[in-house]
């Protein structure tokens, strides 16, 4: 499906999801250990088997909500004493009571037992063999009691603050923030052009950030396209002349500042029919009035945009006298009605005077003081704003240049004229004010009206509204006969166990509830990135904004660690951890705008390749071990990968290819499936009986590699395949599939590498070549040390090469062939030592389970303007804004993950006959969507 929105223009940066620059991100495949044949999909509910498992994420959310310390330590002491046989079962039950009375009494009794127990001499139980975590196996009282107290404390914290309560808090925060922003817009106005023209700040030395909106940096082609057949006039003194030069250089960078400085200067681009004139009128007097009056009388010669301003010459010529100020007021009063008349059909801007740097002014300019300039500005503002009695003036005040000059005037050469960088910023602001409403750039939210709702969006809104109403009616009717099945909260981990739909809750109720919640979430998506309710800001990269958060999450990830359930290579917990930390790094990369720093970009490219490597590894392992090529398996994977993206394509009016990583992993999954499902179907069970089948599988993989190479170097064949209808509706952007070919080609070999690695690993595992016991190195000591040394050297060598990259295009050409080096090096470093294989970071693993949702949701509710900017929920405090928006973003991603799981159980049943009926309905839905999309496209054109 394609809703045919052209992709944003930009350089071919395949990492960041900023237009052309971005391929990053994850897929939600869980990578389970091959021995269990786990698909690389989101971890499903495991029922009672997972109860009591710690995820370690509770520390990230935890607050001081536990019981008083005496109660926790009392429970810990009692647990230890009970284990020593010193507490009766009845006493233990009383201490564990949840009632206030029982808890208090048990606490005091526990203290007495605790003190008696602490007076005992320490005893250590003999261990049969040294273990990596001896404290867990030792009976030393302090260690054991502290561990039990820690676990009980976690239970108490998570009893009051679980994932469910976090989501409730996020909902309350969204409602409060929406109300505050709505009230602010009603009070301060909803015109972002006013903010662009009057307020802002510098993010860096040359990066200007308007208040509440994003400013687009126009290229030559864009400027000419916007200003075709337009006439722009600058009228004023030398400062206006500087602004004129900077504006013209956006259209023609080779234009030189030549000619009579105290005369008119014309410019014309004959190809695009753009005409820009500077008219020398250094004072607001009769001469300027006559020029403006001609425009009001001659509609043919009237410019489309007029930029005027003057004052410093009046101050200089009349030596800053009060009489000159009075005359200035009279003259501008006579000009104001003419400007107002022009403003009805043209864009008229009055440029307020910038401050001066008095210490650098020459002797003949010493009378030009900032005090005098402020007086002239106040006169101009009061007169021009009061030129219309009953309505707001149409003449716009260009006052933002004052703020820019306050930061940069010290860099002036003469104290009067601004440095070139400041003039360029002012000229770009003018271009945004006029062109944003014409070209509608994605990253230029200033001066852009809210996009009108499309037909598909209106139908989606009706569907979600009916779902909400239907669920409320269903709930009211059945609230007495059918109680809602509340999810069970695991107090150890703070995680809500995913409910398997039971017979007490009808599928219809679950379906309506899921669409009800999804409708509310989609409303939040629309408010953040389409409705202009919340603010948006441009990204600005500094090393600290990228590396400090990386260090912070690394510390958290190391702190929250657990023992793995099994110690096989790339086991379930380890692959979740791998996806989790990679996704967090990618998120930080996106929000910090680190794509501008080439070494970081090249390392992020490896993370993207690692996600695709896991795709090849996981899906191959599943099909090889299970041999399950049924339609149910395929539909489950496709649904989980694409459900959220399809919904966002409809709600946010974006093409399927916009979320390019999901199409990428979807295509690669189908490639893996077709490769292994086609005759002859070779699986592990069949290959174990005859080694010939291993050779047959290798031939299949070799043929796949040959096809990949052919498509990579035959762009024409690739484009012909994906230009066929209906594939073209999914993969075309701007009427061609070049963008899709470019992105696919960047990591064309890594999925094959993942499949080959899985085949070799499973073959070695079957022949018991590997030692995967707890605490054991993967190979013999000599081989393990040698491979570990080679892996570390390879890992560092790739990093050195990536950090020394000077040309992005050349490095991208080499990347598909060499990225596997660092991926394999990481896998060996992570798995060769037995102790490293035995632990994992529960903090990273928690995020890894929702990595798909995190990647997709960031486009609209964490970043802004389709990832080009940053969402601002709390203006004026960047740190607090990031904390709040991240908290809401993670809660939404987790909830969408649960909704997808619930809907997958209903929409993709295991019964083949029911599944075929559902597939027919889904096919009809997409046919209708294609028809509506075609109607929409025709109406737009």
């Amino acid at each position: 499906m394609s809703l045919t929105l052209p992709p944003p223009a930009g350089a071919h940066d395949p990492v960041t999801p900023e237009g052309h620059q971005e391929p990053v991100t994850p897929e939600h495949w869980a990578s389970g250990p091959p021995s269990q044949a786990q698909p690389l999909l989101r971890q499903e509910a495991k029922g009672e088997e997972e109860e009591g498992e710690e995820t370690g994420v509770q520390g990230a959310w935890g607050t001081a909500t536990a019981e008083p310390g005496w109660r926790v330590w009392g429970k810990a002491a009692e647990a230890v004493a009970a284990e020593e046989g010193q507490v009766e079962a009845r006493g233990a039950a009383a201490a564990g009571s949840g009632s206030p009375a029982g808890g208090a009494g048990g606490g005091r009794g526990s203290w007495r037992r605790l003190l008696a127990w602490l007076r005992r001499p320490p005893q250590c139980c003999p261990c049969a063999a040294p273990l990596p975590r001896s404290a867990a196996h030792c009976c030393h009282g302090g260690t054991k009691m502290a561990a039990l107290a820690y676990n009980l404390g976690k239970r108490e914290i998570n009893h009051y603050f679980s994932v469910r309560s976090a989501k409730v808090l996020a909902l309350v925060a969204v409602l409060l923030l929406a109300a505050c922003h709505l009230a602010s817009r009603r009070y301060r106005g909803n015109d972002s052009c006013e903010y662009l023209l009057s307020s802002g700040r510098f993010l860096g030395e040359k990066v200007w950030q308007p208040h509440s909106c994003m400013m687009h940096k126009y290229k030559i082609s864009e400027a000419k396209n916007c200003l075709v057949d337009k006439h722009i006039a600058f009228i004023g003194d030398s400062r206006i002349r500087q602004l004129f030069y900077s504006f013209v250089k956006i259209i023609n960078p080779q234009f030189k500042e030549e000619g009579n400085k105290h005369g008119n200067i014309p410019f014309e681009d004959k190809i695009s029919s753009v005409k820009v004139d500077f008219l020398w009128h250094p004072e607001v007097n009769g001469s300027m009035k006559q020029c403006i009056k001609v425009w009001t009388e001659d509609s043919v010669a009237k410019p489309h945009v007029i930029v005027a301003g003057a004052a410093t010459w009046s101050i200089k010529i009349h030596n800053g006298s009060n009489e000159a100020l009075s005359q200035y007021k009279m003259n501008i009063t006579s000009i104001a009605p003419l400007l107002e008349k022009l403003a009805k059909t043209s864009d008229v801007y009055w440029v307020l005077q910038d401050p001066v740097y008095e210490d650098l002014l020459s002797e003949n300019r010493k009378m030009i003081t900032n005090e005098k300039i402020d007086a002239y500005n106040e006169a101009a503002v009061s007169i021009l704003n009061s030129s219309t009695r009953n309505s707001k003036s149409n003449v716009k005040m260009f006052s933002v240049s004052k703020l820019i000059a306050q930061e940069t005037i010290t860099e002036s050469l003469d104290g009067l004229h601004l440095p070139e960088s400041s003039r360029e910023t002012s000229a770009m602001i003018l271009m945004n004010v006029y062109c944003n409403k014409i070209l509608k750039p994605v990253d230029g939210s200033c001066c852009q009206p809210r996009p009108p709702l499309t037909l598909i969006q209106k139908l989606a809104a009706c569907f979600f509204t009916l779902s909400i109403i239907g669920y409320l009616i269903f709930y009211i009717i059945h609230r007495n006969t059918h109680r809602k099945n509340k999810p069970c909260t695991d107090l150890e981990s703070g995680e809500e166990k995913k409910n398997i739909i039971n017979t007490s809750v009808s599928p219809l109720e679950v379906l309506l509830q899921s669409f009800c919640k999804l409708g509310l979430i989609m409303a939040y998506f629309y408010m953040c990135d389409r409705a202009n309710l919340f603010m948006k800001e441009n990204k600005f990269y500094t090393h600290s904004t990228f590396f400090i958060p990386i260090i912070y999450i690394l510390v958290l990830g190391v702190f929250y660690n657990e023992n793995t359930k099994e110690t096989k290579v790339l086991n379930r917990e380890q692959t979740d951890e791998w996806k989790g930390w990679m996704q967090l790094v990618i998120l930080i990369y996106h929000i910090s705008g680190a794509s501008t720093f080439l070494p970081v970009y090249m390392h992020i490219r490896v993370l993207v390749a690692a996600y695709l490597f896991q795709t090849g590894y996981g899906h191959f392992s599943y099909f090889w071990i299970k041999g399950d090529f049924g339609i149910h398996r395929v539909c489950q994977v496709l649904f989980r990968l694409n459900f959220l993206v399809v919904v966002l394509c409809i709600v946010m009016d974006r093409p399927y290819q916009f979320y390019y990583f999901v199409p990428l992993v979807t295509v690669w999954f189908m490639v893996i499936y077709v490769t292994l499902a086609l005759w002859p179907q070779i699986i592990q069970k069949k290959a174990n009986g005859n080694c010939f089948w291993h050779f047959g599988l290798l031939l299949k993989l070799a043929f796949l590699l040959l096809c990949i190479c052919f498509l990579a170097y035959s762009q024409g064949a690739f484009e012909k395949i994906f230009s066929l209808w209906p594939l073209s509706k999914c993969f075309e952007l701007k009427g061609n599939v070049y963008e899709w070919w470019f992105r696919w080609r960047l990591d064309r070999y890594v999925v094959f590498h993942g499949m080959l690695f899985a085949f070799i690993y499973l073959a070695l595992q079957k022949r018991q070549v590997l030692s995967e016991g707890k605490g054991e190195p993967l190979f013999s000591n000599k081989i393990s040390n040698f491979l570990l040394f080679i892996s570390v050297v390879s890992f560092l060598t790739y990093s050195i090469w990536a950090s020394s990259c000077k040309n992005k295009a050349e490095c991208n050409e080499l990347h598909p062939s060499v990225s596997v080096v660092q991926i394999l090096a990481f896998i060996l470093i992570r798995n060769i030592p037995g102790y490293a294989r035995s632990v994992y970071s529960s903090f990273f693993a928690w995020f890894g389970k929702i990595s798909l949702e995190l990647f997709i949701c960031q486009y609209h509710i964490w970043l802004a303007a389709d990832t080009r900017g940053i969402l601002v929920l709390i203006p004026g405090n960047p740190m607090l804004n990031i904390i709040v928006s991240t908290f809401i973003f993670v809660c939404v991603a987790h909830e969408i993950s649960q909704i997808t799981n619930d809907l997958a159980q209903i929409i993709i049943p295991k019964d083949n006959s029911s599944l075929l009926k559902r597939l027919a309905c889904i096919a009809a839905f997409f046919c209708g969507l294609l028809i509506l999309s075609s109607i929409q496209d025709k109406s737009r054109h």
Side-chain angles (χ1 to χ4, degrees):
M1 180 196 67
S2 173
L3 301 184
T4 61
L5 186 76
H12 284 307
D13 178 349
V15 175
T16 58
E18 303 169 350
H20 239 330
Q21 308 184 7
E22 81 223 341
V24 181
T25 104
E27 152 194 23
H28 202 53
W29 45 164
S31 357
S35 59
Q36 294 181 344
Q38 302 263 5
L40 287 183
L41 284 170
R42 167 186 307 101
Q43 184 173 358
E44 299 181 7
K46 294 185 181 178
E48 296 179 357
E49 179 183 344
E50 283 190 353
E51 288 195 8
E53 178 189 356
E54 296 180 15
T55 66
V57 76
Q58 67 277 3
W61 307 112
T63 57
T65 57
E67 283 187 310
W70 62 267
R71 187 175 298 177
V72 174
W73 281 93
K75 290 180 181 180
E78 186 166 346
V80 174
E83 191 174 301
E84 296 289 336
Q86 297 179 12
V87 179
E88 297 180 359
R90 179 174 52 83
S97 171
S99 65
R108 289 189 291 270
S110 299
W111 269 112
R112 289 192 293 270
R113 287 188 290 273
L114 171 62
L115 293 174
W117 183 78
L118 286 174
R119 294 191 187 101
R120 296 181 56 205
Q123 299 177 359
C124 207
C125 24
C127 295
L131 293 171
R133 292 193 174 188
S134 57
H137 301 275
C138 185
C139 298
H140 280 305
T143 302
K144 194 163 189 176
M145 186 181 68
L148 288 169
Y150 173 70
N151 288 331
L152 288 169
K154 286 195 298 183
R155 287 176 179 270
E156 298 299 332
I157 290 174
N158 291 310
H159 177 74
Y160 295 101
F161 197 85
S162 62
V163 174
R164 181 184 180 86
S165 59
K167 291 175 183 176
V168 172
L169 183 59
L171 176 61
V172 172
V174 169
L175 294 176
L176 289 176
L177 289 169
C180 290
H181 279 268
L182 188 61
S184 174
R185 294 214 175 248
R186 285 185 175 274
Y187 175 74
R188 301 180 61 181
N190 196 32
D191 187 2
S192 58
C193 274
E194 290 189 5
Y195 296 132
L196 178 61
L197 291 170
S198 62
S199 59
R201 69 185 192 279
F202 275 104
L203 296 177
E205 293 182 0
K206 298 181 180 180
V207 180
W208 181 255
Q209 173 58 59
H211 176 70
S212 82
C213 63
M214 296 170 60
M215 190 171 75
H216 178 67
K217 186 174 182 180
Y218 278 90
K219 300 176 182 178
I220 299 173
S221 58
E222 293 173 323
K224 289 182 178 180
N225 187 30
C226 168
L227 300 177
V228 62
D229 296 325
K230 296 295 188 297
H231 179 201
I232 298 94
F234 290 79
I235 179 171
D237 55 15
S238 58
R239 287 177 159 187
I240 300 298
R241 183 182 65 235
Q242 281 189 312
L243 185 58
F244 158 79
Y245 278 126
S246 297
F247 187 87
V248 169
K249 285 181 179 180
I250 298 177
I251 305 169
N252 182 9
Q254 282 73 41
F255 187 74
K256 296 181 180 180
E257 300 185 15
E258 298 176 344
N260 183 8
K261 291 185 177 181
H262 294 172
N264 298 340
I265 304 174
F267 169 81
E268 185 175 4
D269 186 275
K270 296 182 179 180
I271 298 176
S272 56
S273 300
V274 178
K275 185 179 180 182
V276 186
D277 291 326
F278 168 71
L279 305 177
W280 173 253
H281 291 282
E283 289 190 88
V284 180
N285 54 20
S287 175
M288 178 182 287
K289 179 180 179 181
Q290 183 60 32
C291 178
I292 296 173
K293 187 176 180 181
V294 170
W295 289 334
T296 61
E297 297 172 351
D298 187 355
S299 59
V300 176
K302 181 172 58 178
H304 298 89
V305 180
I306 300 169
V307 182
T312 54
W313 268 71
S314 297
I315 299 173
K316 176 183 175 182
I317 293 174
H318 301 285
N319 202 26
S321 65
N322 292 330
E323 291 78 9
L325 177 59
S326 301
Q327 185 63 41
Y328 179 84
K329 291 179 181 180
M330 294 174 58
N331 292 339
I332 204 168
T333 301
S334 64
I335 290 176
L338 300 176
L339 293 175
E340 192 65 36
K341 185 177 180 181
L342 283 173
K344 292 180 180 178
T345 54
S346 302
D347 289 352
V348 180
Y349 304 95
W350 185 267
V351 181
L352 298 183
Q353 294 300 299
D354 303 327
V356 296
Y357 190 41
E358 297 180 13
D359 294 342
L360 286 179
L361 291 175
S362 59
E363 288 299 325
N364 63 339
R365 291 174 176 170
K366 286 293 184 181
M367 70 291 298
I368 305 175
T369 63
N370 288 322
E371 182 180 357
K372 291 291 183 182
I373 287 176
D374 290 340
Y376 276 72
N377 284 337
E378 289 176 6
V381 170
S382 61
I383 293 171
L384 291 174
N385 283 340
S386 61
S387 59
T388 54
R389 296 181 179 180
N390 301 321
S391 62
K392 187 177 179 180
S393 174
N394 292 318
V395 179
K396 301 177 180 65
M397 295 291 111
F398 193 83
S399 58
V400 69
S401 61
K402 288 173 51 183
L403 300 178
I404 297 172
Q406 287 172 3
E407 300 290 335
T408 61
I409 191 62
T410 54
E411 302 173 16
S412 172
L413 297 177
D414 57 8
L416 178 66
H417 299 100
L418 295 179
E420 187 174 359
S421 60
S422 302
R423 291 148 38 195
E424 290 173 353
T425 301
S426 296
M428 194 60 70
I429 291 173
L430 275 175
M431 191 69 74
N432 274 259
V433 172
Y434 186 77
C435 291
N436 282 3
K437 56 181 176 289
I438 298 174
L439 298 184
K440 296 181 174 59
V442 175
D443 60 341
S445 62
C446 299
C447 299
Q448 274 202 53
R450 184 181 66 186
L453 287 173
T454 65
L455 175 62
I456 294 177
Q457 286 177 312
K458 292 176 182 178
L459 292 175
C462 292
F463 170 78
F464 285 122
T465 302
L466 292 175
S467 297
I468 294 171
I469 296 173
Y471 175 70
L472 292 176
I473 294 174
F474 189 94
Y475 176 74
I476 292 171
I477 294 175
H478 294 85
R479 69 179 184 272
N480 295 324
T481 56
H482 296 283
R483 293 183 179 180
K484 292 179 69 178
N485 182 28
K486 296 183 179 179
C488 172
T489 301
D490 178 5
L491 297 181
E492 278 293 313
S493 65
E495 175 65 87
E496 293 176 2
K497 296 298 179 184
K498 299 171 184 175
N499 289 340
I500 298 176
I501 302 171
N502 56 43
T503 54
S504 63
V505 181
S506 69
L508 178 60
E509 182 178 357
V510 175
L511 194 67
L512 288 174
Q513 184 186 47
S514 298
F515 281 122
C516 175
K517 292 190 290 185
L518 186 64
L520 295 175
I521 291 173
M522 288 300 108
Y524 178 64
F525 272 76
Y526 189 84
M527 285 193 302
C528 288
D529 212 18
R530 290 296 178 271
N532 293 333
L533 177 62
F534 299 117
M535 300 178 181
K536 303 170 186 177
E537 288 189 354
N538 295 90
K539 299 177 184 179
F540 177 68
Y541 174 75
T542 61
H543 292 321
S544 60
T545 58
F546 177 74
F547 289 104
I548 290 178
I550 293 292
I551 296 172
Y552 177 70
I553 65 165
L554 178 63
V555 171
L556 286 177
V558 172
F559 183 76
Y560 292 102
N561 63 82
E562 306 285 344
N563 288 322
T564 57
K565 292 182 179 179
E566 58 180 343
T567 55
K568 296 185 182 299
V569 173
L570 293 180
N571 56 65
R572 164 74 69 182
E573 291 91 350
Q574 189 183 127
T575 50
D576 282 341
E577 172 202 89
W578 192 7
K579 289 185 296 179
W581 71 257
M582 288 195 301
Q583 179 57 35
L584 291 177
V585 171
I586 289 170
L587 290 174
I588 295 170
Y589 167 85
H590 287 158
I591 201 166
S592 64
S595 61
T596 57
F597 187 48
L598 190 55
V600 171
Y601 164 83
M602 291 306 302
H603 282 86
I604 294 297
R605 286 294 323 136
V606 178
L607 301 189
V608 179
Y611 273 112
L612 293 172
F613 181 93
Q614 288 194 46
T615 298
Y617 169 81
H619 290 311
F620 178 92
S621 299
Y622 179 86
F623 291 127
W624 175 249
I625 297 173
K626 286 280 190 179
D628 177 13
F629 297 100
I631 189 173
H632 177 262
R633 161 68 180 173
V634 176
C635 292
Q636 279 278 338
V637 174
L638 295 180
F639 181 86
R640 292 174 185 274
L641 287 177
N642 291 276
F643 171 71
L644 177 57
V645 166
V646 170
V647 173
L648 287 177
C649 287
I650 294 171
V651 174
M652 305 303 290
D653 190 28
R654 285 293 176 262
Y656 180 63
Q657 178 58 27
F658 176 75
Y659 308 93
Y660 101 97
F661 198 81
V662 171
L664 187 60
V665 294
T666 300
V667 167
W668 277 117
F669 166 73
M670 294 305 300
V671 168
I672 297 168
Y673 174 79
V674 171
T675 301
L676 298 178
L678 285 178
W679 184 90
Q681 287 186 1
I682 305 173
I683 61 174
Q684 189 180 57
K685 185 177 180 181
K686 180 187 291 187
N688 288 338
N690 191 339
C691 291
F692 170 78
W693 292 114
H694 286 94
F695 179 72
L697 181 62
L698 289 175
L699 286 178
K700 276 191 169 186
L701 293 179
F703 179 74
L704 173 61
L705 180 61
L706 186 64
C707 293
I708 292 172
C709 293
F710 172 75
L711 292 176
Y713 294 100
S714 179
Q715 182 180 350
F718 186 96
E719 292 183 350
K720 285 181 180 178
I721 293 172
F722 288 97
S723 295
L724 297 174
W725 192 91
L727 288 179
S728 60
K729 299 296 290 183
C730 296
F731 298 102
E732 278 189 356
L733 286 174
K734 282 190 174 180
N736 61 71
V737 295
Y738 172 78
E739 180 85 1
W740 165 239
W741 175 79
F742 173 77
R743 296 182 184 281
W744 174 86
R745 191 171 180 268
L746 282 170
D747 294 295
R748 54 188 178 274
Y749 300 129
V750 73
V751 174
F752 170 80
H753 292 149
M755 297 171 67
L756 187 61
F757 175 83
F759 174 73
I760 296 172
Y761 163 68
L762 293 174
L764 294 176
Q765 186 187 63
K766 191 67 179 178
R767 285 159 179 74
Q768 299 182 346
V769 176
L770 307 176
S771 301
E772 294 183 300
K774 190 170 185 180
E776 298 178 0
L778 201 58
F779 304 96
S780 64
N781 288 334
K782 289 185 178 180
I783 296 177
S784 294
N785 292 336
F786 175 75
L787 289 178
L788 201 58
F789 174 77
I790 295 297
S791 300
V792 172
V793 171
S794 301
F795 190 93
L796 295 177
T797 301
Y798 182 91
S799 291
I800 293 171
W801 170 78
S803 300
S804 61
C805 274
K806 302 300 181 183
N807 186 297
K808 183 179 291 186
E810 293 178 2
C811 292
N812 280 340
E813 282 296 321
L814 291 174
H815 167 78
S817 303
V818 300
S819 61
V820 70
V821 173
Q822 195 165 40
I823 295 172
L824 291 177
F826 171 79
I827 293 174
L828 293 177
I829 294 171
R830 184 69 177 83
N831 287 276
I832 287 178
Y835 61 85
R837 231 173 34 251
S838 303
V839 296
Y840 77 103
S841 170
S842 53
F843 175 79
F844 290 142
W846 190 88
F847 287 97
K849 294 172 185 176
I850 57 172
S851 58
L852 176 67
E853 286 77 14
L854 287 173
F855 162 62
I856 299 173
C857 291
Q858 68 163 331
Y859 275 68
H860 304 295
I861 63 170
W862 196 53
L863 303 175
D866 296 340
T867 75
R868 302 298 186 85
I870 300 172
L871 179 67
V872 179
L873 299 177
I874 303 177
N877 194 327
M879 182 61 67
L880 182 60
N881 176 69
I882 288 294
I883 293 173
V884 173
S885 64
T886 302
F887 175 71
I888 297 172
F889 160 58
V890 173
C891 289
V892 169
H894 190 275
E895 184 62 29
I896 291 177
S897 174
Q898 292 186 333
I899 291 172
T900 305
N901 280 331
D902 293 340
L903 291 176
Q905 296 177 49
I906 297 174
I907 297 176
I908 311 295
K910 292 184 178 180
D911 178 61
N912 281 338
S913 60
S914 300
L915 178 58
L916 291 175
K917 294 178 182 177
R918 304 283 171 83
L919 290 179
C921 294
I922 293 173
F925 167 77
F926 279 108
C927 287
L929 203 59
L930 286 172
I931 295 171
L932 291 175
S933 178
S934 299
I935 295 173
Q936 249 180 214
D937 293 342
K938 290 179 180 179
S939 64
R940 282 173 176 170
H941 294 314

